[in-house]
Amino acid sequence: MVDKEDGAAPADADPEALKRHRTLFRAVRRRRNPPLRRTDITVTDEAAVQRAVKAASLGNAMEWFDFGIYSYLAVTIGHVFFPSGNGTVQLLSSFATFAVSFLVRPLGGMVFGPMGDRIGRKKVLALTMIMMAIGTFAIGLIPSYASIGFWAPFLLILFRLVQGFSTGGEYGGASTFIAEYAPDRRRGFFGSFLELGTLAGYIGAAGLVTLLTALLSNAGMDSWGWRVPFLVAGPIGLIGLYLRLRLDETPAFRKLEDDSVHRASEAASTVEATARGDLTKIFRNHWPTLVLCVCLVGAYNITDYMLLSYMPTYLSDRMGYSETHGLLILIATMVVLMLLINQVGKLSDRLGRKPVLMTGMLGFLLLSVPAFLLVEQGSLAAVSAGMLMLGLSLVCLLGTMSAALPALFPTQVRYGSLSIGYNLSASLFGGTTPLVITALISVTGSDLMPAYYSMAAALVGVISVACMKETARRPLEGSPPAVATPEEAAELVEGQAPLPRF
């Protein structure tokens, strides 16, 4: 039953009692849902937000630098770490090793995610940074198959597993960190910097590999040149660790950690003082949202890995392009996306997450086949146009997902739920994309299989976006509103003030 004058009444309220004791029921409702006060609202510190964005984005850039160099050196790694013979078998073995790290990403998410909800986002993000740097640096030190035989692929797989395990806590933590620092009305803009880091990592990897390939012979790349990008990850990791250790915890987590000091209102503290989400609670209470997250991330990751990881191999292996030529085209495409991505984030703040995400999904659904038909033409103009068509669809996802995904879950289980959902999907669909596409082309002989695979993923994405709630310009669930200025906070409080009755 609903009281039209005062709002929703308790579902089990007796209608006659409600009529007789209207004032009493109004008091109960106000106690359960007290009006927002100025002290309930978080006024963000612009400098702190910028530090958080830089530290989180650098970690994300490092993650994708690591995965990018492996993708772009897939052919060389196949030569170095696997027995000589059939080139396709070596390439499949290399991509299988690429995919194996994704098998442990859900385990990393299950460990680091709830840990981040329990001990804090900052500490876990520092730990994942250390592990990622160690895993990548160690790969650069492994002797070749010709030197130590089957120990070479064994050690490669071992350190890929270290990379994958650490990455299980990286994206969920980094996107949560930025989302909880950013003001509600600009979460899309600040969140887009996380994926700007993704593109920067890919460009750094592609640029370094392109430079080495251009300067060194095939023999030089196989003997020592391939090691350089992996060894560079060590110093980058130390810089990222330093930046992350200088950060404070997010305002939302500080409320969870000590609501006796930061209590805003009885209702807010009740929400945020709940126990940190353990795995059982996450799967039991949030499984519908987890399924939605898995579907969104699956569609997003398949299209992402298809364009940014697999495409250079496609151009060299199927189209006969030199590795340097294919990488240069991809770098040019990613530079265009970097110039657009922050504007896409702003657009999602203004129009909403759903319209922008739907545009990207429909772009892949409708344009994948035309784009690959252009790529098959082989000319520089046609290949560039096809890549740009796919890139413009992808940037709609890149600029929006890092703000949309954290908002799916409440604060007390956000890191854990997002890490589990994201990495489960990445394990099943993202990291396997190069392997699946290579196998499908090998079996069918059709060069359009990447387009068909992207279309299938986009169809799932269209349905998922249609099912999600709009979260732009709204507070994160389980957290008070976050604004950029005290004036905006006053405006929020005044906006809910009841009109005077005459």
Side-chain angles (χ1 to χ4, degrees):
M1 168 168 188
V2 175
D3 181 344
K4 294 181 181 179
E5 180 181 355
D6 299 312
D12 57 350
D14 176 41
E16 293 301 320
L18 181 61
K19 290 178 181 179
R20 291 195 303 270
H21 305 291
R22 191 180 302 275
T23 303
L24 176 61
F25 277 102
R26 185 187 302 123
V28 171
R29 280 192 299 274
R30 288 178 65 84
R31 182 170 177 80
R32 290 179 177 176
N33 302 287
L36 192 67
R37 298 174 298 182
R38 170 63 186 83
T39 52
D40 296 341
I41 301 171
T42 300
V43 179
T44 61
D45 178 357
E46 181 77 13
V49 174
Q50 291 180 2
R51 286 196 302 271
V53 168
K54 288 177 184 177
S57 300
L58 180 61
N60 209 46
M62 181 182 166
E63 175 189 345
W64 296 110
F65 176 84
D66 296 342
F67 279 96
I69 56 178
Y70 192 98
S71 301
Y72 304 145
L73 289 170
V75 175
T76 301
I77 288 173
H79 295 160
V80 172
F81 287 101
F82 298 97
S84 59
N86 188 298
T88 301
V89 172
Q90 283 188 329
L91 183 60
L92 283 170
S93 298
S94 180
F95 278 140
T97 307
F98 176 82
V100 77
S101 69
F102 285 79
L103 298 178
V104 296
R105 283 183 66 159
L107 296 178
M110 292 179 187
V111 171
F112 291 123
M115 187 187 300
D117 286 327
R118 188 169 60 252
I119 68 173
R121 284 72 161 116
K122 169 186 170 179
K123 296 175 183 175
V124 175
L125 283 174
L127 179 58
T128 59
M129 175 68 79
I130 294 171
M131 291 184 64
M132 173 62 77
I134 290 174
T136 307
F137 187 80
I139 289 176
L141 301 176
I142 302 174
S144 66
Y145 181 87
S147 300
I148 59 173
F150 282 99
W151 282 107
F154 172 81
L155 290 173
L156 177 64
I157 291 172
L158 174 65
F159 291 119
R160 288 290 295 164
L161 291 175
V162 172
Q163 285 183 316
F165 189 76
S166 64
T167 305
E170 177 61 38
Y171 183 89
S175 57
T176 293
F177 207 84
I178 292 178
E180 291 182 350
Y181 255 111
D184 296 333
R185 295 183 182 180
R186 303 184 69 197
R187 189 171 296 118
F189 171 68
F190 284 115
S192 66
F193 281 92
L194 188 65
E195 297 298 353
L196 184 70
T198 297
L199 292 172
Y202 271 125
I203 288 176
L208 185 53
V209 171
T210 301
L211 179 64
L212 289 169
T213 304
L215 295 177
L216 300 176
S217 63
N218 289 337
M221 281 296 293
D222 287 353
S223 64
W224 65 271
W226 68 270
R227 299 182 185 275
V228 175
F230 289 97
L231 297 178
V232 167
I236 295 177
L238 292 176
I239 295 171
L241 179 63
Y242 170 73
L243 290 176
R244 288 188 171 181
L245 289 176
R246 292 180 63 235
L247 293 172
D248 295 324
E249 269 298 349
T250 68
F253 183 78
R254 289 201 300 268
K255 282 184 175 293
L256 282 173
E257 193 175 37
D258 190 7
D259 64 39
S260 64
V261 175
H262 302 282
R263 181 175 290 119
S265 68
E266 184 176 344
S269 65
T270 298
V271 172
E272 301 192 299
T274 52
R276 312 306 195 276
D278 62 322
L279 292 177
T280 302
K281 180 180 293 185
I282 288 172
F283 282 107
R284 183 178 65 241
N285 298 341
H286 302 281
W287 68 265
T289 314
L290 274 176
V291 172
L292 177 62
C293 179
V294 167
C295 293
L296 283 170
V297 174
Y300 163 51
N301 269 346
I302 286 174
T303 52
D304 187 308
Y305 281 94
M306 184 276 296
L307 179 61
L308 301 185
S309 292
Y310 175 74
M311 189 58 76
T313 302
Y314 180 85
L315 292 175
S316 61
D317 194 46
R318 305 299 301 181
M319 302 302 300
Y321 272 63
S322 69
E323 291 183 19
T324 302
H325 195 178
L327 282 173
L328 285 173
I329 295 175
L330 180 62
I331 290 172
T333 303
M334 289 191 291
V335 168
V336 173
L337 302 192
M338 286 186 73
L339 296 175
L340 296 175
I341 191 167
N342 294 137
Q343 300 307 313
V344 172
K346 286 183 179 179
L347 191 65
S348 78
D349 284 328
R350 187 162 63 248
L351 301 181
R353 315 289 184 232
K354 293 184 66 171
V356 180
L357 287 174
M358 187 64 78
T359 300
M361 296 298 183
L362 289 175
F364 275 108
L365 184 63
L366 301 176
L367 300 178
S368 289
V369 169
F372 270 88
L373 289 175
L374 278 172
V375 170
E376 286 188 342
Q377 297 300 308
S379 68
L380 177 61
V383 172
S384 300
M387 296 274 281
L388 191 59
M389 287 171 64
L390 296 172
L392 292 177
S393 299
L394 180 61
V395 78
C396 293
L397 309 183
L398 288 172
T400 311
M401 277 293 184
S402 51
L405 293 175
L408 294 175
F409 302 100
T411 300
Q412 63 268 25
V413 295
R414 180 170 298 122
Y415 196 157
S417 300
L418 180 53
S419 293
I420 292 168
Y422 185 91
N423 290 293
L424 184 62
S425 185
S427 175
L428 293 173
F429 307 111
T432 59
T433 295
L435 176 64
V436 170
I437 292 177
T438 302
L440 287 174
I441 292 176
S442 179
V443 170
T444 65
S446 172
D447 289 339
L448 288 177
M449 289 312 299
Y452 299 143
Y453 196 50
S454 297
M455 291 172 64
L459 181 59
V460 174
V462 167
I463 297 170
S464 301
V465 172
C467 293
M468 68 180 284
K469 295 179 182 179
E470 182 57 72
T471 58
R473 302 172 67 87
R474 300 174 185 175
L476 294 169
E477 184 182 349
S479 292
V483 298
T485 63
E487 292 75 17
E488 192 178 338
E491 179 185 332
L492 271 180
V493 174
E494 291 170 4
Q496 66 160 10
L499 294 174
R501 296 182 181 179
F502 299 97

